[in-house]
Amino acid sequence: MSVDSRSASALLESLLRQHSAEELLAKLAPKHHERPERMSSSGGVTAEQIDRRWAILRHAGEARRVLLDEPCDTEGETYARNIENFVGTVRVPVGVAGPLRVNGTHAQGDFYVPMATTEATLVASYHRGASLLTECGGCAAVLVSEGLARAPGFAFATLYEAGQFITWAVRSLDALRAIAESTTRFGKLTDIRVTLEGNHVYLIFDYFTGDAAGQNMVTIATQAICEYIREHSPVTPTAMFVEANHSGDKKASAQSFLYGRGRSVCAEVIVPAALVETRLHTTAQMMATYWRMSAVGGVLSGTIGVQGHYANGLAAVYLACGQDVACVAESAVGVTRFELNADGALYASVTLPNLVVGTVGGGTGLPSQRACLDILGLAGAGNANAFAQVCAGIALAGELSIVGALVAGDFTNAHARLARGNTEVPPRAQ
């Protein structure tokens, strides 16, 4: 990150007005006075363990009463596999958008979508988009691929040794598959990809993970493969890491569109011109015009993909439904496209190549999160692909709604009214 000279000078002058150079050095220097009592790392959730943790938090005030309410206090065991150093839970408001009609290869029907957020206007916007999609007859949704990658890295003394290792690893795929699949009932090693960089080798293992998102599943399976490599490879790596940052895990990356991670889904809808005008207060032509300008804006700012705000809806759904919310970093990569059809209707589509979601495992079994999946009718085994298509549908709903608001001049008004509670808002731009 660079800072221009004027800003850097202003910041420095401001600091020196408030502190001498000696004071700044003292503030930034290491401090070796006695540290507070250490919070012992533990997954235990007994009353005694929770009491000990709260005793350490001397400045908590009323926090214990708020975070450790009665249901939470009596259901501590429920969270034992999902948290360490447990002291309570945080309540996040949950709203429902819908009905959202999805005509998918896996998701079929009308869905009420739980969304957990603290951002006013978010549920209202997605609700508007979902209602519009349903009025159009629903969105079509197709699952393009599914799977999750883990990418261990191996260092060798020379490029020649790295080449020897690649030859052996590719020829040993069946043996590596057997080792990986011995660690899981549902996971399958489907393929292996190879990247050679000097004397470094990245083996990118692609797994089928069933109805689980599968991050832990593929990590454990890949660790078993690494141990097998350590014992059987004809060339011994000088270093080996179970994940060498080539899988794209929990980060936006250019390879998202090349391979995808999790479940890759496309969804589309054709919105008649009359509905664009009555529900979004604008025209299909202006929606398409805005999309072209926003696409160029995305290129100019260097975004990966072109879309309005996938992260808003996905984070809210992930939080409500027990997904790993950090996966929004990669799940929110994608492309929205709006086009004006010859008959004046609006064609709208979203492509999301990295929906890392599941309906079993992780946080999906926690009481509140399971309840939200139950609202969708998608809790448990057999529903992960349908859940991914619902996520794509709600992303499409959000794109239509936010672009409609921006084009019609309603965006600021909605935030002023719902987020600030203003009854008087400026008139909509014409």
Side-chain angles (χ1 to χ4, degrees), residues 115-262:
M115 309 184 80
T117 182
T118 59
E119 181 187 350
T121 76
L122 188 148
V123 174
S125 180
Y126 281 85
H127 177 63
R128 180 173 79 144
S131 299
L132 174 60
L133 288 179
T134 300
E135 195 169 356
C136 295
C139 64
V142 174
L143 184 80
V144 179
S145 65
E146 59 178 302
L148 200 69
R150 186 59 73 215
F154 306 86
F156 296 91
T158 65
L159 180 61
Y160 177 75
E161 287 189 356
Q164 284 185 298
F165 172 72
I166 290 173
T167 301
W168 173 82
V170 171
R171 290 174 176 173
S172 302
L173 177 57
D174 289 341
L176 300 182
R177 179 180 288 116
I179 293 296
E181 295 177 7
S182 71
T183 67
T184 171
R185 289 182 295 164
F186 305 106
K188 303 293 182 184
L189 177 59
T190 59
D191 204 356
I192 178 175
R193 290 176 279 128
V194 177
T195 296
L196 175 64
E197 186 278 313
N199 59 356
H200 287 177
V201 176
Y202 301 82
L203 296 182
I204 306 164
F205 293 109
D206 293 318
Y207 294 90
F208 170 78
T209 62
D211 286 292
Q215 293 97 321
N216 290 338
M217 180 192 299
V218 302
T219 299
I220 292 169
T222 303
Q223 182 63 47
I225 289 176
C226 288
E227 295 304 324
Y228 179 86
I229 288 173
R230 191 191 307 276
E231 295 177 8
H232 295 88
S233 172
V235 186
T236 303
T238 60
M240 178 170 61
F241 309 97
V242 72
E243 172 57 57
N245 208 27
H246 196 342
S247 68
D249 191 7
K250 297 183 180 178
K251 55 189 69 69
S253 66
Q255 71 179 7
S256 297
F257 293 104
L258 299 175
Y259 304 109
R261 265 176 58 83

Side-chain angles (χ1 to χ4, degrees), residues 92-98 112-117 122-124 127 316-317 320 372 375:
V92 179
V94 177
V96 174
Y112 291 92
V113 184
M115 309 184 80
T117 182
L122 188 148
V123 174
H127 177 63
V317 174
C372 288
I375 289 173

Side-chain angles (χ1 to χ4, degrees), residues 63-83:
R64 175 167 182 158
R65 180 184 61 80
V66 175
L67 295 178
L68 195 67
D69 58 13
E70 184 175 349
C72 176
D73 199 11
T74 58
E75 295 177 354
E77 285 295 332
T78 304
Y79 304 99
R81 296 180 61 184
N82 294 86
I83 193 71

